[in-house]
Amino acid sequence: LICLDCTEVKATRVIDGDTLDTAKGRVRLFGVDTLEFGERCASEATHRLQQLAGDSVRLEDGPRLTDQFGRILAYSYFTEDGASIDETLIREGLATAWTRDGQHRDLLVNLEREARIQGVGCLW
């Protein structure tokens, strides 16, 4: 997944492996789910999201714009080359794919299957 024309926003703080604060508001990554604090792999996912997001990210809306907590739901991409942060977290075995909905669901679910088979990361 690549998105060079997605909206670029300043990333101000990573909350956990699938949530970050931006100039636009709190963003929950649409395509992935990571474990909660204290569970295995949670700190690794949080640290990796900090590395991947850097100072800014590109955001792509999914089919729903917010979640039940009022967070913005968006797929996330690197600012430089437009590559998918969601995809990277899954490929590295730090996140599972969101399966409920989303235009990239099938691709991300297949990437998770491959990561599981290969045993990459700390989730499996």
Side-chain angles (χ1 to χ4, degrees):
L1 296 174
I2 295 178
C3 191
L4 290 172
D5 61 348
C6 292
T7 304
E8 182 178 340
V9 296
K10 180 176 174 54
T12 57
R13 179 174 156 231
V14 169
I15 306 302
D16 60 22
D18 56 28
T19 308
L20 67 153
D21 285 339
T22 70
K24 191 175 176 182
R26 184 156 288 178
V27 173
R28 168 65 165 82
L29 304 186
F30 197 101
V32 302
D33 192 27
T34 62
L35 295 175
E36 301 302 320
F37 284 115
E39 296 180 307
R40 77 179 190 295
C41 215
S43 61
E44 292 90 338
T46 301
H47 179 69
R48 187 64 172 133
L49 181 56
Q50 288 170 332
Q51 291 176 323
L52 298 172
D55 295 329
S56 64
V57 294
R58 295 181 188 277
L59 299 176
E60 175 189 15
D61 291 339
R64 291 176 292 118
L65 299 180
T66 59
D67 68 5
Q68 69 269 26
F69 304 110
R71 298 176 295 188
I72 298 164
L73 289 173
Y75 291 100
S76 60
Y77 299 85
F78 297 103
T79 303
E80 297 297 317
D81 62 6
S84 171
I85 292 174
D86 304 58
E87 181 179 335
T88 301
L89 290 170
I90 291 171
R91 282 185 187 276
E92 294 179 359
L94 299 172
T96 57
W98 179 255
T99 59
R100 179 175 168 192
D101 55 3
Q103 63 267 37
H104 305 302
R105 177 187 61 200
D106 293 345
L107 171 69
L108 296 174
V109 166
N110 286 333
L111 291 173
E112 178 187 330
R113 188 176 306 119
E114 290 174 22
R116 282 179 187 269
I117 290 169
Q118 295 171 8
V120 297
C122 51
L123 283 179
W124 345 106

